[in-house]
Every structure is written in structure tokens, then in C-alpha cells.
Amino acid sequence: MALPKDPRQKMINIMYLVLTAMLALNVSAEILNAFNIVNNSINTSNNSLTDKNNLIYAQFAEQMKDNAAKVAPLKAKAEEVKKLSADMYNYVETLKNLIITESGGKDDKGELKGQSDLDAPTRVMENMKKGPELEGKLVALRNQLLGFVEPKNKDKFAKTLPLKIEVGKSSNDHGGGPKTWTTYHFNMVPTIAAVTILGKFQNDIKNSESAIIDDLYRQIDAQNFKFDKIRPFISLNSKNLMAGQTLTAQIAVGAYSSTVNPTIVVNGTPVNAVEGLGTYSIPVSGIGERTISGTITLPNPTGGDPISQHFEETYNVGASTTSISADKMNVLYIGLQNPISISAAGVPAESVSASISGGNISKRGAGEYTVTVSQPGKAVINVVANVDGKVKTLGQKEFRVKRVPDPVLKVGFNKGGNMKAADFKVQQGLGAVLEDFEFEGVKYEVVGYRIGVSAKGKEYQEGEANSAYFPGSIAASVRSLRPGDEVYFENVKVKGPDGIVRTMPSTIFKLN
């Protein structure tokens, strides 16, 4: 039979769940700082994209002087793209401001007061339904932007357009199927993370706007271009990298001729240009801010001296930040499915893998693993990642390996000592209960024991049990127990989740 739980045990379980939840909500300062760095980088990139896009819009105006009839329809489409993108960008900005306000606003230095606040993003994006509204608007904008692409190129643009709305990539932890787009991005994330994610969507909007207007501009006959001045643009695959990763920079001019490629030199190295675009790649090393610089040179269409322009771009190289945490304290228990969370800043979860000494580890989701161990002592979890096609060690952590603690022997709610005779008589067997343990639902099975009944005025009765139930040989003695009698349990055998049978200390019940 299932032996009932002590009410005190239920309260302990509830208190532990609350503590676990509080620990899960504790976001480290390193993670918050990493989001700040990425957010600042995104804001810088957005400003650069705005300058670049404005130059393209200005080029449309310049082309109107030479061929207004041909350029006007393309310019009108570009202006419409500009308005759609600006409206969407500003809408996302209002969401960022709303989340910041909900989390406490900014301090005198302009920094977020509630960077680690997990409630504000959830409240705004889920409870206030701003997340589904944003998702719908982004889907609509993507479709509108693709509508400006020539039909023959639409499939290509649909694959490469930066603005993509991915739904259902993560499974619901509670078995409810795929998460919604809103829950996947904004449920219980820190305010600084939500602001960074929204900034990333703004960056996608700017990049998509840039891709569409560049395509519209290329539709103008390149032979009609007149270069009187140029401005270089450089795009990095990331402005925040780890040592060992590869920096890739794309360098281009705002307008170019399909028959005349620029001469590009980066850090003293010539770069081959195709259709006006040059790509420069180097492995990064060291820690801190780094710079690439160079020149872009084009022939003067009027026959004068070549036109050259200097450029310079900075990026940051940081060390890897890897987080390995045990969801049930810093201990691995033999015979249990120990849940482990692993994350590495700047590395996608699908690129991260882990191994363990003295056990087995299996992946059960993004950043989530299950560990099984068999021998007490210590185990070390090692984390690696595939970074730019190379396996890179990110970190390791040592855990203690312990057996599940011994249970407490109980008859009913009592665990030895004094017990009312009336309460003992209605019980059917001996139970083994695990108290004050981090894992819920871990049970022990009583596989055998020797029971002795010492009743006043009667002979000592003894019986052997091969399960939790009282043996039939002493059933009558148990039913006739009275105050002053004593019941002994000896050689008690229990089997835990590790499958090992343990012998428990003897216990006595004095009836009153």
C-alpha cells in the first residue's frame, strides 16, 4: 500500500520548490553584462545601417537628375520601403521603452534599473499581448518587402532576407508541444535580454531595408552612374568574438559600376572585389578592442585622379563565458536522472556538446542535459563547442557524486518511539520514506524485515516479512496490541532507486 506523507514533509517540499524557483531566477552579472555588450553593438550597427541606407536614398535623388523617367518608379518604391521600415522600427522602439518603463526605467546614468527583471518582458509581451502583435507586424513587413522584389528573384530573397520569423523551434518543457513565438523569445527573460532581442529585430529590419533598396538601386542602368564621390561601408559578421573565432568583413561602396570594381586594401592586404563587393577574413586573437582599416579606390569617371576613401572599423574580442549548473544543487546522485543546464555566451546551444567522466550524459533540449552516475566520488563535466568549424574547449566543472540518502522507517506517520496503540493497529505495514531530499518522487521499497511483538502477559511473537506488509503470522498479535506493548523491527532491508538493497538500523515502537 502507499503509505501517506507527513504533513510536515509536504510543507518542506513546497518550501524547497519556492527556493528552487528563486535560484532559477537569479541571473548572473556576467550574463547581464554580456547582453549589455551585445545590445550596445547592435545599436552601433543600427546607426551605421541608417547612415548607409540614407546614402542610397540620396543616390536615388542624384540619379533622378540624369534619367528621371527611369529612376522615378524605383525611387518611389524605395521611399515606400523607407516608410514601412521606419514605422516598424519605431514601433519596436516603443516596445523597448515600454518594457524599460515596466522594469523601473533608467537611472541618472541612462542605465536600466531593472536589467535582471524577469517579469516586465513577460508582462508586456505575453500578458499585454504585445508579443503576438509584434509577430504579426513582422510577418506583414517581411511579405511587404518581398513584394518589391522582381518575381524572378523573389525565391532567392525569401531565403536570404534577414527579417525572418521562426516559430516553434523549442519544445514546451511541460509537454504542451511547441512554444509560441512570443514565449520562445520573451517568457521569463531578463529586461536587458528582451531589449537586446528587440534591438536584434530592429537590426533585421534595417538590414532587410538595405537589401531591398540596394536591389532597387541596382535596377538602374549601371552605365548611367556618375561617380563624383564615394563612401565606403564595412559589415562585420560580428563585433563581439571569442579567441579562435573568425572575423569576416564585407566592404562595399554605396554605388558601383558592374564593369569597374574598386581596389580594396585592408590592413595592408589587397582584397579581391566582385561586383563591387570585397570580403576579408582573419582569425581573431587576444582580448579587447581591435581595429581593421584600409582604403577603397575607384577610377574617376571623368578621367581625373582615382577617387580614394579611407575606412576604419572596430570590434571586440572577448573570452568565452560558459555556464554549467546542476538543477538540483552541486551534487549528482547515483541511480537518478540528474538534470544539468549548460550554456556558453556567444555560442548557439546546438553547437555546444558535453561529456562526463565516471558517468553518462545525454542532451534533452537546448542547453538541457541529463546525467547518470554509478560510483560515489567525483565526476567532471567537460563542455566543447563547434566554433567556425573547429572544436573549442569552453570549460569544465567538477561535481560530487553521492548515493541517495537512507530513508526513515515509518509505521503510518510515526518513525519510532512512542505511538498510540490504536493508530498502530490500523496500519498494514512498514514504510521507508525519504525526507528533506532535493528530488521529488524518489521512493524506497521495503523488501523484508523481522518483526517482534512483546505484549504484556503474552508470549513474545516474531515473524519474517518479505515485503512492506506485516506478515500473516503476527496479524492477530498486531490487532490485539494494547498500551504498554512494544513492537520491534530488525534486519530491515530496503531497495533504493540505485537498485542496491540496504540494511536499516533496528527500530522500536512503544505503544501508549
Side-chain angles (χ1 to χ4, degrees):
M1 63 173 287
L3 303 178
K5 286 187 176 180
D6 186 348
R8 175 177 173 275
Q9 174 61 29
K10 292 183 179 179
M11 179 58 70
I12 291 173
N13 289 343
I14 293 172
M15 292 176 64
Y16 174 75
L17 287 174
V18 173
L19 176 60
T20 302
M22 292 175 65
L23 291 174
L25 296 177
N26 183 26
V27 182
S28 70
E30 290 84 1
I31 299 298
L32 295 177
N33 185 55
F35 274 115
N36 268 310
I37 293 173
V38 174
N39 188 49
N40 292 337
S41 178
I42 289 174
N43 290 335
T44 300
S45 177
N46 288 343
N47 291 334
S48 298
L49 284 169
T50 298
D51 292 339
K52 182 264 181 185
N53 290 345
N54 286 338
L55 180 64
I56 298 299
Y57 292 126
Q59 288 294 324
F60 274 102
E62 288 295 319
Q63 292 301 313
M64 286 288 291
K65 298 176 183 178
D66 297 327
N67 194 341
K70 183 176 183 178
V71 175
L74 296 172
K75 182 177 182 295
K77 291 181 179 180
E79 292 296 333
E80 190 173 352
V81 170
K82 181 179 182 180
K83 183 180 185 307
L84 290 171
S85 301
D87 290 346
M88 190 63 215
Y89 187 97
N90 293 334
Y91 171 76
V92 177
E93 190 67 22
T94 63
L95 294 182
K96 290 167 65 174
N97 293 332
L98 179 57
I99 291 174
I100 291 172
T101 300
E102 287 290 319
S103 67
K106 297 182 179 181
D107 58 21
D108 295 337
K109 297 180 180 179
E111 297 179 350
L112 301 184
K113 292 181 179 179
Q115 292 189 56
S116 61
D117 185 355
L118 303 174
D119 293 325
T122 304
R123 185 165 60 252
V124 172
M125 303 306 287
E126 288 199 318
N127 299 348
M128 297 170 63
K129 307 300 183 184
K130 294 296 183 181
E133 182 176 287
L134 172 62
E135 179 186 5
K137 287 180 177 290
L138 290 174
V139 171
L141 177 62
R142 173 180 168 83
N143 293 334
Q144 288 173 317
L145 293 179
L146 289 174
F148 293 100
V149 179
E150 293 175 297
K152 64 179 181 180
N153 296 327
K154 195 164 185 177
D155 288 343
K156 179 183 71 175
F157 269 80
K159 295 178 182 178
T160 60
L161 198 69
L163 183 58
K164 294 181 180 179
I165 296 80
E166 310 250 351
V167 181
K169 273 199 166 186
S170 177
S171 296
N172 191 309
D173 294 335
H174 303 289
K179 292 183 180 179
T180 64
W181 181 87
T182 299
T183 300
Y184 182 72
H185 287 89
F186 299 104
N187 180 261
M188 296 303 290
V189 300
T191 292
I192 183 61
V195 170
T196 302
I197 291 170
L198 290 173
K200 180 262 183 190
F201 288 133
Q202 288 179 315
N203 189 259
D204 291 343
I205 292 167
K206 287 288 184 183
N207 272 307
S208 298
E209 175 189 7
S210 178
I212 299 300
I213 63 174
D214 283 349
D215 182 63
L216 291 172
Y217 192 72
R218 281 193 291 269
Q219 294 178 37
I220 303 174
D221 189 354
Q223 293 180 355
N224 293 332
F225 290 178
K226 293 184 178 179
F227 297 103
D228 53 358
K229 61 181 180 179
I230 65 170
R231 180 176 177 179
F233 300 105
I234 179 168
S235 174
L236 305 183
N237 62 323
S238 177
K239 297 192 72 172
N240 299 279
L241 303 105
M242 297 185 301
Q245 286 186 286
T246 299
L247 170 72
T248 299
Q250 292 186 321
I251 302 97
V253 290
Y256 66 90
S257 169
S258 61
T259 59
V260 181
N261 278 309
T263 299
I264 302 174
V265 177
V266 183
N267 287 354
T269 302
V271 176
N272 185 44
V274 178
E275 293 186 353
L277 181 67
T279 299
Y280 174 74
S281 298
I282 55 169
V284 299
S285 60
I287 303 296
E289 186 176 273
R290 298 290 186 268
T291 302
I292 65 170
S293 60
T295 58
I296 295 180
T297 303
L298 279 171
N300 193 320
T302 63
D305 294 333
I307 303 171
S308 294
Q309 182 72 42
H310 178 77
F311 65 84
E312 186 171 282
E313 186 76 11
T314 60
Y315 61 93
N316 293 303
V317 179
S320 170
T321 302
T322 304
S323 171
I324 309 172
S325 63
D327 294 345
K328 301 289 184 181
M329 300 177 64
N330 190 26
V331 177
L332 302 175
Y333 288 101
I334 297 171
L336 300 184
Q337 299 287 315
N338 297 273
I340 297 290
S341 296
I342 299 175
S343 63
V347 181
E350 59 269 20
S351 299
V352 178
S353 59
S355 61
I356 184 172
S357 62
N360 295 300
I361 186 169
S362 60
K363 198 168 189 176
R364 56 190 174 93
E368 298 177 348
Y369 297 78
T370 297
V371 172
T372 56
V373 288
S374 58
Q375 295 295 328
K378 295 180 180 179
V380 177
I381 294 179
N382 293 282
V383 180
V384 299
N386 190 319
V387 179
D388 293 333
K390 298 179 180 179
V391 177
K392 179 179 177 60
T393 299
L394 299 182
Q396 62 176 215
K397 188 169 184 177
E398 185 178 272
F399 292 87
R400 294 172 292 159
V401 179
K402 300 172 64 177
R403 296 192 185 280
V404 175
D406 286 339
V408 175
L409 299 180
K410 287 188 175 183
V411 174
F413 295 115
N414 294 75
K415 48 186 176 182
N418 296 324
M419 182 176 179
K420 291 183 178 298
D423 291 340
F424 194 102
K425 289 163 63 173
V426 298
Q427 304 302 319
Q428 298 184 36
L430 178 66
V433 180
L434 191 58
E435 293 187 335
D436 301 332
F437 189 53
E438 294 85 0
F439 287 77
E440 289 187 16
V442 178
K443 297 180 179 180
Y444 274 86
E445 176 189 358
V446 176
V447 297
Y449 56 88
R450 183 167 56 250
I451 180 173
V453 177
S454 177
K456 291 182 178 180
K458 297 181 181 180
E459 291 186 4
Y460 182 78
Q461 298 292 316
E462 192 174 84
E464 292 285 341
N466 56 11
S467 69
Y469 295 99
F470 295 147
S473 61
I474 63 152
S477 298
V478 171
R479 287 194 299 270
S480 62
L481 287 169
R482 295 176 300 174
D485 294 345
E486 295 179 344
V487 181
Y488 300 87
F489 291 94
E490 299 175 332
N491 196 30
V492 180
K493 306 289 186 181
V494 297
K495 184 166 67 174
D498 54 6
I500 296 176
V501 176
R502 309 183 190 188
T503 301
M504 301 295 296
S506 300
T507 185
I508 182 173
F509 287 82
K510 297 180 179 181
L511 306 182
N512 54 37

